Amino acid sequence: MASKIGRTRRRLRTSSRTVLSAVAITSLTATGVVVYAGAASAAVPKFPDNIVVFPDRDFVSVEGYMDPFYAGQTALLEVTRGSTVIGSAKAVISGTDVAFEVNHPGGVCWGAGTSHQVTPDIRPGDVVSLTLPDGLKDETTVADTYVTKDMTLNGNVITVDGYVAPSVNKAQMEQRIINPDLKDTDVGRRDLRAVPGEITAEAAYTSTLDFPTESTFLATYTFVDPATAAVAASADLGERSMAWQVEDADANRQGLTIAEYGEAGGPGMGGCPAGPGDQGAPTPGTAQVVRSADKTSLSVKWEPVAAQAGAEPVSGYSIMAIGNTVGANGQQVQLGTRTDANATSTTIKNLDPAENYTVEVRSMAGPKMSEAFSTSVAAPVPTDPTQVDTTQPTLTVDPAPVADSTTPVEATSVSVTSDGQVYYTTGTDLVISGGLPSDAAKPYTSPIAITEPTTLHIASFDDAGNYTVTEGMYAPPAPTGEPAPDPVAPAAPTGLTASGGQGSATLRWDAGDASVTGYQVTVYDAGVALTTQPAETTARTQTVTDLTAGKEYGFTVRAMAGTLAGAESAMVMATPQAVTDTVSIGSARWKSGEFRVSGTGSVPGATVTLHYVNADGSIGAAIPRATATVVAAVPPEVGGDWSIRLRNNAAPATNPGRIIAKSSNGGQTAPFTVTRG
C-alpha cells in the first residue's frame, strides 16, 4: 500500500543498483585515486529503495531492493531504541516494488525468524534498519511529528492540528486527509494534501501547511463546495502527518514516516506476537531442586530470564513448595517465598519430613506471572522410614584434582560427570552450607573454562540429600614457546562479477576461507594496473566510481590474511555508462515583463533548458531563450547553481504555469508550478 508514496517516483536510469551505504566506495580518475575508506555506517536508502515506517500501526513497508542479486534472499529488519533492539523480523525479498512488509496483511509478523517475539511499540526516535546478506545496511529514523486531535470542520474549511519536534525538517513535511469517498466528489481522488510554503491550489480546494509555533503545525483546507468539505471531514482515522529524511531532485522521499492519527498499535494481523504492553511474564527458564537429608528444607536455584525488549521487566520470582497430600477440605499445604529480580536461589525451610512436595518457580513482571519453570523433582519420601538411602552419588572430575597439592593441574577446562545434581564454586566460596548447595553455588551445565589460576569446589547431590564433595587447583597451560606456524596465503576468491553503472562498476565475489581478514580489488586500464588502487574492504562487494564512461576496465580481487595477500582471481571486464546528472528548480516566478527561474545542478558546465508542461503532464516545447549554464559551486561544495532571467519582450507574455528543467547531461526535474510575483 505504500509502494508509490511521493510526488514523483521515477526510476533512476541505471542498469544496476549502486551500493553506497555499506561497502567501501572508491573514486578513480585517470591520474589518481580519491578513497573513502572502509565500510560506511548505515544511511537512508536511495531511490528506488525505501524503508517506510507507520509508527502508530507498528507497520513497516520495505520498498524496492529489486537488484536481481537480492531477490529471493532473506533480509533482517530491526527496530532499535538507543542501543537496544526492541523488535525484529526476517523476510524474503520479493524482487518487486514492495520487497516485503512487516505487521501488515500479506506480510510477515514481527518476530518472524528471530528471538524477539514481540510486536514493538514503534515511537519517534526509533531506528528501523534493514540488513542484507551482503552486509549492506540501510535505515530510517522515525520522525517526531503527528496529528494531535480530530480535524475541525467549519463551513467549507477544515483544519488539522499537530505536533512537530525541532528535529524534523519542516520543509520535508506534508499533511494528508485520507477518505476513499472523496473519489466520488470534485476532488476525484482519495486524499487531500497540504505542504509548507505558498497556498496550493487544486480544482476543488486550496490548502496550506503553516507552523504557528516552533512545535506545532496547522493544515488548512478551503473547499469550493461545502459538501466536499463534509465528505472529507467524515473520514475515520484519516488524518496523517508525513515527514521524510531525504528528498532528491526528482522529489523522491526517502526515510519516510507516516503517522496516522488514532490508529491502534500492536499486531496487525492474527497470529502475530503481542505488543510489549500485552506481553505476559517472560518465558519460563529452568530450575534445580535439592532436598536436605533430614527432608526439612529445600534448596532451589534457577536460571534468570529476561523480558522481551520493550515489555515490562522481570520484577521478581515466586518459589512455592506444594504438599502433594490433599486434605479433607480439598486443599494442599504450600510453603514458599518471593524474591527480587536479581535473585537466582532460595531455601524453603520447615517442611514436613514425611510429606512429598512439588516445587514451582515462576517469574513475575508487575502483576503478571509466568508458567512454572521446568524443575528437577526431589525423590519421594520413603514409605518405610527404615529404608533410608545413605549412598553418596558418584562424582568424576576430568582432569582429576591432586589432593593436598599446592601445584595446580594444567587445563583449559574442567568436565564433571555424576549421577546426581552438580554444583560448583570458585575461590574461597563454600559449595555446601547446611547440607544444601550454598547461595554462591552455581549449577554445573557445561565444562568450566579455566582462564586463570582457579580453585574449584565441586559437589554432587542425589535426590535423598546425600552429597559428594571434591576440590582442586587448576591453571591454564603455560605457553610452550613454540613459534607460531607460518601464515598461509588464502586462496583466490571465486565467483567475481562486475557490472557497469553510471561512471562506475559494482563488483561482487564469493567468501574466502576463515583466515581471510579482507579483500583487495585491483583495477586495470588497457591491461595495466592503476598506480593507486581501491582501499581494502571486509565486504564481499565494492563499487568503484568516477570511471570514464564507455571505456572498458578490468578487475581482479585477492583475499588478504592480515598483511599476507593471496593470489588474484580471474579478471572480469566492465564498461561504465554515461552519468546522468540531476537538476532541480528552487524558485520560479513570473510577472508581466519579467520571468525568473533558479535552481541547482550536479554537473557544472551542463546546459539547462526550460520547457512548458502540457495539460496531460507530458513535456512540451522549449521556452524561447530560457537556457542557462550550471556554474560550479565554491569548494568544498559540489555541483553548482543556474539562473534564468528574461525581461521585457524576452519574457513570456503570460504565466507559463507548470515548467520542467532539462539538462544537456540527461537529467530533468519534476513539474514545477510558476508563481506570480
Side-chain angles (χ1 to χ4, degrees):
M1 65 175 287
S3 62
K4 295 295 178 185
I5 295 170
R7 286 174 285 174
T8 304
R9 301 299 300 270
R10 294 195 302 275
R11 290 213 179 282
L12 295 178
R13 293 177 292 278
T14 56
S15 63
S16 64
R17 181 172 183 271
T18 302
V19 179
L20 295 178
S21 61
V23 298
I25 304 298
T26 305
S27 299
L28 298 181
T29 66
T31 58
V33 181
V34 179
V35 177
Y36 297 80
S41 59
V44 179
K46 292 195 173 185
F47 182 80
D49 305 330
N50 208 351
I51 302 172
V52 183
V53 184
F54 298 77
D56 296 287
R57 284 190 286 158
D58 306 321
F59 156 45
V60 176
S61 178
V62 178
E63 302 177 355
Y65 298 94
M66 291 182 289
D67 188 315
F69 177 74
Y70 297 125
Q73 297 198 43
T74 299
L76 172 65
L77 193 74
E78 294 181 304
V79 182
T80 304
R81 183 170 299 156
S83 59
T84 303
V85 176
I86 64 170
S88 62
K90 290 182 178 180
V92 176
I93 296 173
S94 68
T96 62
D97 281 356
V98 178
F100 61 88
E101 294 180 331
V102 180
N103 201 37
H104 191 261
V108 301
C109 293
W110 289 109
T114 77
S115 60
H116 289 92
Q117 294 300 305
V118 61
T119 296
D121 179 18
I122 302 178
R123 302 173 187 171
D126 291 347
V127 176
V128 181
S129 63
L130 178 78
T131 303
L132 295 169
D134 69 347
L136 180 139
K137 187 173 184 179
D138 290 337
E139 65 184 32
T140 290
T141 299
V142 181
D144 192 4
T145 178
Y146 47 86
V147 174
T148 53
K149 64 180 183 179
D150 288 320
M151 70 182 87
T152 301
L153 172 64
N154 186 4
N156 67 329
V157 177
I158 289 177
T159 54
V160 181
D161 293 271
Y163 169 80
V164 55
S167 59
V168 176
N169 182 351
K170 295 182 176 65
Q172 294 177 180
M173 281 188 60
E174 182 177 296
Q175 197 282 314
R176 291 191 185 184
I177 297 175
I178 310 296
N179 189 343
D181 293 340
L182 287 168
K183 295 179 67 175
D184 298 325
T185 70
D186 51 355
V187 172
R189 62 171 186 258
R190 65 191 294 269
D191 66 316
L192 309 170
R193 308 179 185 189
V195 297
E198 299 180 358
I199 294 175
T200 300
E202 299 282 348
Y205 69 94
T206 60
S207 66
T208 186
L209 181 61
D210 299 313
F211 301 93
T213 71
E214 280 297 310
S215 61
T216 62
F217 68 76
L218 176 66
T220 303
Y221 299 86
T222 303
F223 295 84
V224 175
D225 186 350
T228 302
V231 171
S234 68
D236 183 20
L237 308 177
E239 302 97 323
R240 290 181 173 182
S241 177
M242 301 167 56
W244 49 98
Q245 294 172 260
V246 177
E247 181 173 342
D248 64 20
D250 292 330
N252 298 306
R253 302 168 176 183
Q254 306 302 110
L256 182 62
T257 298
I258 304 179
E260 303 164 297
Y261 177 70
E263 290 284 1
M269 49 189 170
C272 290
D278 299 318
Q279 288 281 321
T283 303
T286 59
Q288 290 182 294
V289 178
V290 174
R291 192 165 183 179
S292 63
D294 64 6
K295 307 301 182 186
T296 62
S297 60
L298 278 169
S299 170
V300 187
K301 291 182 179 287
W302 58 90
E303 292 292 328
V305 291
Q308 288 287 347
E312 192 168 1
V314 173
S315 56
Y317 296 91
S318 171
I319 306 94
M320 302 299 299
I322 305 169
N324 291 354
T325 301
V326 180
N329 58 1
Q331 299 180 354
Q332 295 168 266
V333 174
Q334 62 180 23
L335 299 169
T337 187
R338 287 192 174 185
T339 71
D340 62 25
N342 297 319
T344 57
S345 65
T346 192
T347 300
I348 301 177
K349 300 180 180 180
N350 302 318
L351 301 178
D352 181 349
E355 176 66 286
N356 292 311
Y357 292 88
T358 299
V359 177
E360 292 184 351
V361 180
R362 302 175 189 270
S363 62
M364 298 179 295
K368 304 167 186 174
M369 185 174 288
S370 76
E371 297 295 324
F373 284 30
S374 172
T375 60
S376 59
V377 180
V381 175
T383 55
D384 182 355
T386 64
Q387 297 179 356
V388 178
D389 181 1
T390 59
T391 303
Q392 292 180 314
T394 61
L395 180 61
T396 303
V397 180
D398 183 24
V402 178
D404 301 323
S405 174
T406 58
T407 302
V409 176
E410 290 190 350
T412 57
S413 65
V414 174
S415 300
V416 183
T417 55
S418 175
D419 55 4
Q421 295 185 44
V422 178
Y423 295 81
Y424 72 96
T425 59
T426 59
T428 59
D429 289 330
L430 298 176
V431 71
I432 291 180
S433 177
L436 293 171
S438 69
D439 290 342
K442 302 175 183 178
Y444 172 86
T445 57
S446 61
I448 305 165
I450 304 298
T451 58
E452 60 183 359
T454 303
T455 299
L456 288 180
H457 310 277
I458 305 172
S460 176
F461 295 82
D462 65 14
D463 291 335
N466 302 306
Y467 55 83
T468 302
V469 180
T470 188
E471 63 180 30
M473 297 174 61
Y474 293 89
T480 61
E482 296 178 358
D486 292 334
V488 177
T494 59
L496 177 63
T497 62
S499 57
Q502 293 192 27
S504 66
T506 297
L507 313 176
R508 295 190 178 94
W509 56 89
D510 296 334
D513 57 44
S515 68
V516 174
T517 59
Y519 298 93
Q520 176 63 59
V521 167
T522 301
V523 184
Y524 291 86
D525 181 359
V528 178
L530 299 182
T531 56
T532 307
Q533 292 295 333
E536 185 177 326
T537 178
T538 58
R540 289 184 292 112
T541 178
Q542 190 169 51
T543 297
V544 182
T545 62
D546 285 349
L547 300 174
T548 301
K551 176 184 287 188
E552 187 177 56
Y553 291 85
F555 303 90
T556 64
V557 62
R558 65 177 74 217
M560 306 293 295
T563 58
L564 186 64
E568 283 187 289
S569 68
M571 183 179 294
V572 296
M573 311 301 292
T575 302
Q577 304 166 9
V579 177
T580 300
D581 63 351
T582 58
V583 289
S584 68
I585 299 175
S587 174
R589 294 179 178 273
W590 175 92
K591 63 182 179 181
S592 180
E594 186 170 22
F595 180 45
R596 292 173 295 160
V597 185
S598 61
T600 62
S602 63
V603 178
T607 300
V608 175
T609 304
L610 301 183
H611 289 254
Y612 293 101
V613 176
N614 298 324
D616 62 359
S618 61
I619 300 175
I623 300 175
R625 296 179 291 277
T627 60
T629 300
V630 178
V631 178
V634 177
E637 300 296 325
V638 296
D641 302 315
W642 58 268
S643 63
I644 296 172
R645 187 177 186 183
L646 304 179
R647 304 184 67 183
N648 301 323
N649 293 335
T654 61
N655 189 330
R658 293 196 301 164
I659 61 173
I660 279 179
K662 297 182 65 176
S663 166
S664 57
N665 278 44
Q668 68 180 44
T669 69
F672 194 93
T673 300
V674 179
T675 59
R676 183 182 180 87

